[in-house]
Amino acid sequence: MSKQSTIEKHAFQAEVQQLLQLMIHSLYSNKEIFLRELISNSSDACDKLRFLSLTDKALLEDDEALGIWVDADPKKKTITIRDNGIGMSAEEVIENIGTIARSGTRKFLEQIKQGEDADNSLIGQFGVGFYSSFLVAKEVTLLTRKAGAPVSEGTRWTSDGSGEYTTEQVDRPERGTEITLTLEKENKEFLENYRIRSVISKYSDHISLPIQMLKEPEKDDKGKVIKGQDPVWETINKGSALWARPKADISEEEHNTFYTSLTYDPEPPALVLHNRVEGKMEYISLFYVPSKAPYDLWDREQRHGIKLYVRRIFISDDAKQLMPNYLRFVRGLVDSADLPLNVSREFLQQNKEIDKIRAASVKKVLSELKKLATKDSDKYSSLWTEYGKVLKEGLIEDSDNRDAIAKLVRFSSTHLDDDSQTVSLDDYIARMPEKQKAIYYVTADSHQAAKSSPHLEVFRKNDVEVLLLSDPVDEWVVNHLTTYEDRPLQSIARGDLDIDELKGEESKEDTEKQKEAMQPLVDKFKSILEEKVKDVRLSSRLVDSPACLVADQHDLGGNMERILQAMGQDAPSTKPILEINPEHGIVKQISAESDTVEDWANVLFDQAALAEGASLKDPAGYVARVNKLLAA
């Protein structure tokens, strides 16, 4: 036996205290989810032990039958959830319970403070499921011992949720964790066996481990319990892996329930992809596409989408190797019949079977998205709103599937009156005039900036559609997706644009005369702006504006430079090209020999920079020049 140990008091972290207060004052009406959360934690603990025991049998301590036990005591007003899983050391208890409030808990608090109708499903989603105990309990006691540790290294943790908790070292013969909740009077319904069983059936029926409760004792004709009966534990969940059942035998409701237990998302998934592969490789995949984007979609390091099982045995909660980063919104699992049980991280990274499963899984997801886009464009449009920017990353990262992803991407364009991204590349090509050879686009830092770009003027005049790209990722997309269906993607703000094909029968002779007449002004502008621009030339793309800036064919555009600078990266120093409109009234009245030509050159350059969303290096100088020209 261990010596009498000292009870130590600890204070919860600030975020945990806030969370506990929210739980105790019960912002949530659906209190029954506490049982779902605690059983889910127990299941995870058993899965972890089962996996670790593959390489260290001693951890099982001669007790290989893993399970979860739930017991209610109406007299003591307690409900106890016990497992014989991995358990925790004293240090892990403090780390995982007393100070578990990291970014997930803070994010959770932010979410539920946004409105009174916050959803209790967020509890599990943000990894703070243990605290749901305080939805129903006035005191929580946790007993635990880590598998493989001496009996004397058990830990008792107790708290009433008031801001402090106590820990004590105790003898605990059993490995694993036991949580006892002393219930508030108003929550006595959870002391009734039928109520507990209904909650477990609703949320935890699919869990592969046996969830056991005491069998109701036999009663006589008068309804009294017959004395002398030994307590009998019985398994109350089906415990069959849902994904292993035939696809046709699984109802939509069962999928929705399993999906919620897997993701803590209360809304049904938008897509269910259940696939069984047999032959040289044998595996089952069950993937879900959520209807709404998870809160951490833009955290590329936060991955918890795909679970890996081997012959129904849980292996990994976050198998990064099974789904690429640009499909990080996909949730689900893969269950392989071929992989060894002692799978290591290095094995996953170098295994050809894993690579094949990943490749097939990606193609399956992309194929189903394509089917949805064809059959139900409105539903696909909703998904694109949620995940479009992430899918675009695939055009950069996944060269093998670039063509398939290109079929899925949607853009805004001058064909639309609003900023919705509903135009596919196939839609664009279908509307192209026969003589048009390229797919034209313009990039900017906002839809309005793209829509107002002076580079669009000649295209609008000639009724030629242009894609309006305003997502930051678009700048990288167009550098990787350079052609589609043998048609080049061409920026209207880059290079020397040849648009004779769009302008019909225009006299080349008139163009040459105009160029000759304006050459002195062009040369003068070059000499004045030589520190700011790479070149000055007459524009064939402007109609209403006097000037615009364009990037040379192989230089970064201004928008890309600004994005890199905003990311704290050094952008290569490149000078733009200034194009001036020879038909504009202002340009026509500027003389290369006038006293104001220098002011006009700088003002037109600054205006062109402003028009594409850049900030001026010398705004006071720009204002002074404009005032001087207005007063002349």
Side-chain angles (χ1 to χ4, degrees), residues 24 130 176 193 200 232 255 273 361 490 509:
I24 292 168
F130 172 79
N193 276 345
I200 293 174
V232 177
H255 269 303
L273 291 71
S361 298
Q490 184 170 343
E509 185 178 341

Side-chain angles (χ1 to χ4, degrees), residues 78-242:
T78 62
I79 181 171
T80 300
I81 298 91
R82 174 171 60 88
D83 67 71
N84 59 351
I86 189 65
M88 290 180 283
S89 65
E91 293 77 14
E92 288 171 334
V93 169
I94 294 174
E95 178 184 357
N96 294 333
I97 299 178
T99 58
I100 198 172
R102 301 185 183 88
S103 59
T105 305
R106 287 193 291 273
K107 185 74 175 178
F108 173 74
L109 290 168
E110 291 169 10
Q111 290 283 88
I112 60 177
K113 286 178 181 177
Q114 288 176 2
E116 295 181 0
D117 55 348
D119 199 307
N120 56 58
S121 300
L122 293 173
I123 291 171
Q125 182 178 346
F126 286 92
V128 292
F130 172 79
Y131 303 122
S132 64
S133 304
F134 289 96
L135 287 170
V136 296
K138 61 182 178 181
E139 183 178 77
V140 177
T141 299
L142 177 147
L143 279 170
T144 188
R145 178 175 65 80
K146 191 161 187 176
V151 169
S152 61
E153 291 186 9
T155 301
R156 177 187 287 117
W157 178 100
T158 306
S159 178
D160 61 4
S162 62
E164 292 184 335
Y165 63 91
T166 63
T167 59
E168 178 186 8
Q169 184 175 334
V170 296
D171 287 342
R172 177 166 169 78
E174 305 87 359
R175 68 161 190 268
T177 300
E178 176 179 300
I179 299 174
T180 300
L181 282 62
T182 303
L183 302 185
E184 299 277 7
K185 285 184 179 179
E186 62 267 27
N187 299 315
K188 62 181 181 180
E189 63 181 285
F190 297 110
L191 297 174
E192 299 170 356
N193 276 345
Y194 81 90
R195 181 73 170 100
I196 297 171
R197 288 170 184 252
S198 69
V199 174
I200 293 174
S201 175
K202 181 178 180 180
Y203 293 113
S204 307
D205 205 42
H206 68 279
I207 287 179
S208 58
L209 295 162
I211 302 173
Q212 299 191 56
M213 289 186 67
L214 286 172
K215 192 174 183 178
E216 291 285 350
E218 293 184 15
K219 297 178 181 179
D220 59 23
D221 295 339
K222 296 181 180 181
K224 292 184 179 181
V225 175
I226 300 173
K227 295 182 179 180
Q229 298 181 63
D230 293 327
V232 177
W233 291 92
E234 64 176 345
T235 300
I236 61 170
N237 63 318
K238 290 179 182 176
S240 62
L242 177 135

Side-chain angles (χ1 to χ4, degrees), residues 414-415 428 432-433 435-436 438 440 456 458-467 501-503:
T414 54
H415 181 74
Y428 182 98
M432 283 173 54
K435 59 187 177 181
Q436 183 180 338
Y440 293 107
L456 288 171
V458 73
F459 294 89
R460 282 208 174 95
K461 181 181 178 180
N462 292 277
D463 197 26
V464 174
E465 186 176 1
V466 177
L467 300 176
E501 64 183 44
L502 308 180
K503 299 175 72 173

Side-chain angles (χ1 to χ4, degrees), residues 279-294:
K280 292 183 179 179
M281 281 194 311
E282 290 190 17
Y283 67 90
I284 301 168
S285 63
L286 178 57
F287 300 136
Y288 298 98
V289 176
S291 299
K292 297 292 183 182

Side-chain angles (χ1 to χ4, degrees), residues 457-589:
E457 292 172 359
V458 73
F459 294 89
R460 282 208 174 95
K461 181 181 178 180
N462 292 277
D463 197 26
V464 174
E465 186 176 1
V466 177
L467 300 176
L468 306 177
L469 312 185
S470 56
D471 293 335
V473 70
D474 289 334
E475 287 285 358
W476 283 270
V477 165
V478 294
N479 285 328
H480 290 80
L481 184 68
T482 55
T483 61
Y484 180 78
E485 299 292 343
D486 297 325
R487 291 172 173 83
L489 270 70
Q490 184 170 343
S491 170
I492 64 171
R494 187 186 299 276
D496 190 2
L497 196 61
D498 181 9
I499 52 176
D500 286 344
E501 64 183 44
L502 308 180
K503 299 175 72 173
E505 298 297 326
E506 184 178 42
S507 171
K508 290 185 179 181
E509 185 178 341
D510 290 343
T511 303
E512 289 300 320
K513 286 182 179 180
Q514 193 177 59
K515 184 175 181 181
E516 183 178 342
M518 297 295 293
Q519 195 60 45
L521 183 63
V522 170
D523 292 340
K524 188 68 175 178
F525 271 32
K526 283 182 184 179
S527 64
I528 294 169
L529 300 172
E530 61 180 348
E531 296 298 321
K532 297 181 178 180
V533 300
K534 178 180 286 189
D535 193 12
V536 178
R537 65 192 182 203
L538 298 185
S539 180
S540 59
R541 70 188 90 207
L542 295 175
V543 175
D544 301 316
S545 301
C548 69
L549 297 179
V550 300
D552 208 354
Q553 189 64 42
H554 301 293
D555 289 346
L556 290 179
N559 188 51
M560 183 63 151
E561 287 187 19
R562 290 188 290 277
I563 290 173
L564 291 175
Q565 289 166 359
M567 294 169 61
Q569 298 183 21
D570 293 330
S573 179
T574 58
K575 296 178 182 179
I577 296 168
L578 177 68
E579 289 192 353
I580 56 176
N581 180 3
E583 297 294 337
H584 198 277
I586 290 177
V587 176
K588 284 183 177 180
Q589 73 177 13

Side-chain angles (χ1 to χ4, degrees), residues 20 32 39 46 57 99 108 188 193 231 242 257 261 267 271 280 288 329 375 382 446 466 538 548 576 591 593 616 621:
L20 288 171
E32 65 185 25
I39 288 176
C46 290
K57 282 285 186 184
T99 58
F108 173 74
K188 62 181 181 180
N193 276 345
L242 177 135
T257 301
S261 71
E267 293 193 34
L271 282 178
K280 292 183 179 179
Y288 298 98
F329 55 87
K375 294 180 179 179
S382 297
S446 70
V466 177
L538 298 185
C548 69
S591 169
E593 306 302 326
L616 300 183

